[in-house]
Amino acid sequence: MIEISHVNKWYGPTFQVLKDCTTSVAKGEVVVVCGPSGSGKSTLIKCVNALEPFQEGQIILDGIKVNDPKTDLPKLRARVGMVFQHFELFPHLRIIENLCLAQEKVLGRSHGEAMAKGEKLLERVGLTVQANKYPAELSGGQQQRVAIARALAMDPIAMLFDEPTSALDPEMISEVLDVMVDLAHEGMTMMVVTHEMGFASKVANRVIFMDKGEIVEDALKTDFFGSPRSERAQQFLSKILSH
Amino acid sequence: MNYNWNWHIFFEPNPTGAGTYLDMLVSGLWLTIKTALLAWVIALIFGTIIGILRSLPSRTASWIGFGYVEFFRNMPLLVQLFLWFFVLPELLPRAAGLWMKQLPNAPFWTAAIGVGLFMSARVAVQLAAGIASLPRGQKQAATALGLTTGQGYRYVLLPIAFRIILPPLTSEFLNTIKNTSVAITIGLIELTGQARAMQEFSFQVFEAFTAATVMYLAINIIVVTGMRFLERSLAIPGYITGK
């Protein structure tokens, strides 16, 4: 589904953020990407739907080359859901309008169709009563669930999560993770940048560990948590799992 | 001071033979309003286009935006009106220049367009600042949903940015109205022009300019009130100044 091969990316002439990154996510697979801040995890995931350009290598998404100038990027992006650290709901639109906008403007669905789909997804994330509120009137956890619903409304073939719980109060993390776990169990292809190792050990198939722009470790979940090969990953795990 | 106050002067016939002195001022007031409204529409249209250009990542676009803004904001308004009115027709081929000079209402069109373009540079800078103040994730979220750049601006960035810059835009609207008085120098007999004419005919300088002052104050208070109302009705619940 997602094939990332030999991706190199620089900011400016000298600062390399991604170094020869190669990995893949198969259909129905859940891959967790972790690593210290500044290791390039978010950048890598944003390269997948070309939110960030990269200079070398290639990424193929469902058979379509992302970094081909001939690729219709808006059309390709519409097929991949993305959830951001800071939710990024559109503040001037009601919750239900947030869910309808791209369905109507990008997929060309009628308003009725979009509303029906939106309402169904709001019900799924347990926010039907909030449909007519504005994002700023919701808690962080609720906003992030809306953001997931907004991405799902496009019937994506895969979902990308960029630290979806990092900006949340501890109490709200589980309500968002619950939605993600359900999604994983339904067989959604997911690439998730997160520090939630509980989530990783529960639903991930594979874990990728990044450091300084490199994929240091790309292993099955059990291998990663059981016996990480690289010293850097061992250090990282011992630090985040020690409390 | 030896001055004969005569507040009844407004109801005395003016020397043109068409109505009273008050009628003169009121016709000037209408011309001021018409000129200001057209100038403001021009300022908003061009300001929006240039503001968007300045916010795009493209080098060419931001250079065009930069050049436009610096051209229009670094020259005094008076000089700009002279340029359009006296210099431009001379620079054009003879026939075109002649046609311009003979246009009916040339001072009106020149003033509206001249003031409009002058103000558009200011609108552009504010809009660009408004767009720049939005979290980067907003544009990314719109892009990730498959919206094209144009759709992203139309449905997400501009509606929020315009709400943010409404208070300074109110000031620019007021400036537009006040700046139309410079058009007296190219022969537009708007409110200031009529006040001066009244003073020349009647020697009642204080009455004439008191009336003009009150009229400027009145339209500006209407604009301020209207814009306040607009701000309230567009306020996003829970967001920025929203309630």
Side-chain angles (χ1 to χ4, degrees):
Chain A
M1 181 68 75
I2 304 170
E3 302 282 343
I4 301 171
S5 41
H6 306 290
V7 169
N8 283 292
K9 175 177 169 67
W10 287 264
Y11 282 129
T14 51
F15 183 63
Q16 191 168 4
V17 270
L18 294 178
K19 293 176 193 157
D20 199 35
C21 293
T22 299
T23 188
S24 65
V25 183
K27 193 172 187 311
E29 201 177 18
V30 177
V31 172
V32 162
V33 185
C34 62
S37 314
S39 59
K41 340 178 265 300
S42 292
T43 309
L44 180 67
I45 205 173
K46 282 178 179 168
C47 285
V48 172
N49 61 351
L51 283 186
E52 291 277 359
F54 51 92
Q55 287 81 16
E56 284 174 14
Q58 67 170 16
I59 295 180
I60 292 174
L61 192 59
D62 195 31
I64 300 163
K65 193 174 164 192
V66 173
N67 53 324
D68 182 339
K70 279 174 287 190
T71 300
D72 182 350
L73 280 179
K75 201 171 152 191
L76 185 65
R77 289 182 182 122
R79 301 175 60 208
V80 189
M82 179 138 200
V83 175
F84 295 85
Q85 182 175 7
H86 297 286
F87 334 131
E88 307 301 349
L89 296 178
F90 306 133
H92 61 301
L93 299 178
R94 294 173 192 276
I95 298 304
I96 189 72
E97 292 167 341
N98 261 279
L99 268 69
C100 290
L101 178 69
Q103 289 192 67
E104 291 172 32
K105 305 300 174 194
V106 178
L107 302 181
R109 288 181 185 155
S110 72
H111 185 61
E113 263 178 292
M115 287 287 283
K117 180 98 191 170
E119 281 163 7
K120 214 171 85 191
L121 284 163
L122 276 187
E123 195 186 326
R124 174 181 171 158
V125 297
L127 292 169
T128 306
V129 267
Q130 321 284 358
N132 285 310
K133 289 196 175 160
Y134 286 88
E137 298 175 294
L138 269 57
S139 72
Q142 290 174 327
Q143 289 191 52
Q144 195 60 300
R145 278 143 68 199
V146 173
I148 295 174
R150 179 175 69 177
L152 291 177
M154 306 295 282
D155 292 320
I157 52 169
M159 288 281 284
L160 307 173
F161 293 83
D162 184 13
E163 306 207 26
T165 56
S166 308
L168 294 175
D169 283 346
E171 286 177 281
M172 294 170 181
I173 291 176
S174 69
E175 65 185 55
V176 171
L177 289 180
D178 286 347
V179 174
M180 291 168 62
V181 168
D182 285 347
L183 209 54
H185 287 155
E186 282 168 25
M188 175 62 80
T189 307
M190 292 162 72
M191 191 167 173
V192 186
V193 174
T194 186
H195 295 295
E196 296 296 333
M197 290 301 124
F199 172 81
S201 62
K202 201 189 280 177
V203 295
N205 301 98
R206 275 172 37 234
V207 179
I208 292 173
F209 176 75
M210 289 184 72
D211 188 32
K212 300 196 178 97
E214 274 178 285
I215 294 181
V216 180
E217 190 125 359
D218 183 348
L220 290 174
K221 171 179 66 183
T222 42
D223 296 341
F224 183 77
F225 288 113
S227 53
R229 273 167 300 162
S230 66
E231 203 180 318
R232 187 66 188 86
Q234 285 167 14
Q235 278 174 2
F236 179 78
L237 273 182
S238 73
K239 275 183 190 148
I240 62 169
L241 297 177
S242 63
H243 292 289
Chain B
M1 189 175 73
N2 208 354
Y3 185 78
N4 287 319
W5 289 93
N6 177 15
W7 292 104
H8 293 291
I9 184 74
F10 296 116
F11 305 105
E12 290 170 19
N14 70 49
T16 65
T20 61
Y21 277 110
L22 184 63
D23 293 330
M24 255 173 84
L25 290 177
V26 170
S27 80
L29 175 66
W30 280 124
L31 194 53
T32 289
I33 292 175
K34 272 196 288 187
T35 316
L37 281 180
L38 182 56
W40 185 235
V41 169
I42 292 170
L44 282 180
I45 293 172
F46 283 83
T48 304
I49 296 169
I50 300 298
I52 291 172
L53 284 184
R54 276 177 75 112
S55 74
L56 288 173
S58 146
R59 274 269 173 85
T60 327
S62 53
W63 269 107
I64 295 172
F66 173 80
Y68 181 97
V69 165
E70 300 311 331
F71 179 83
F72 284 106
R73 78 170 170 186
N74 289 333
M75 228 192 308
L77 175 58
L78 186 61
V79 174
Q80 292 192 27
L81 287 189
F82 282 1
L83 268 184
W84 302 137
F85 196 70
F86 298 116
V87 181
L88 183 65
E90 306 300 333
L91 292 178
L92 293 174
R94 243 184 85 81
L98 208 63
W99 172 80
M100 266 188 91
K101 284 189 223 171
Q102 289 168 346
L103 269 182
N105 298 329
F108 168 74
W109 295 109
T110 311
I113 295 170
V115 173
L117 293 179
F118 176 77
M119 294 308 296
S120 72
R122 306 176 56 101
V123 172
V125 172
Q126 291 184 355
L127 181 62
I131 295 171
S133 77
L134 302 178
R136 220 160 56 104
Q138 287 286 305
K139 191 173 187 178
Q140 290 191 337
T143 309
L145 281 166
L147 295 171
T148 58
T149 305
Q151 288 175 322
Y153 274 90
R154 162 77 182 77
Y155 299 112
V156 179
L157 301 181
L158 291 181
I160 314 172
F162 268 114
R163 281 176 168 89
I164 293 173
I165 63 165
L166 261 184
L169 269 191
T170 306
S171 303
E172 296 308 340
F173 194 178
L174 301 180
N175 282 338
T176 307
I177 297 169
K178 291 179 287 186
N179 281 342
T180 57
S181 63
V182 176
I184 192 178
T185 56
I186 55 168
L188 187 73
I189 313 297
E190 36 64 80
L191 183 51
T192 307
Q194 292 288 18
R196 206 178 65 165
M198 174 175 168
Q199 169 239 315
E200 278 167 2
F201 291 134
S202 68
F203 303 108
Q204 301 294 345
V205 59
F206 289 107
E207 289 85 343
F209 280 97
T210 304
T213 305
V214 170
M215 286 177 179
Y216 276 118
L217 205 63
I219 36 177
N220 285 344
I221 286 174
I222 292 171
V223 168
V224 170
T225 317
M227 292 295 276
R228 270 281 170 74
F229 182 76
L230 191 67
E231 267 172 52
R232 292 248 174 88
S233 62
L234 290 178
I236 304 164
Y239 190 74
I240 328 174
T241 55
K243 303 203 168 58

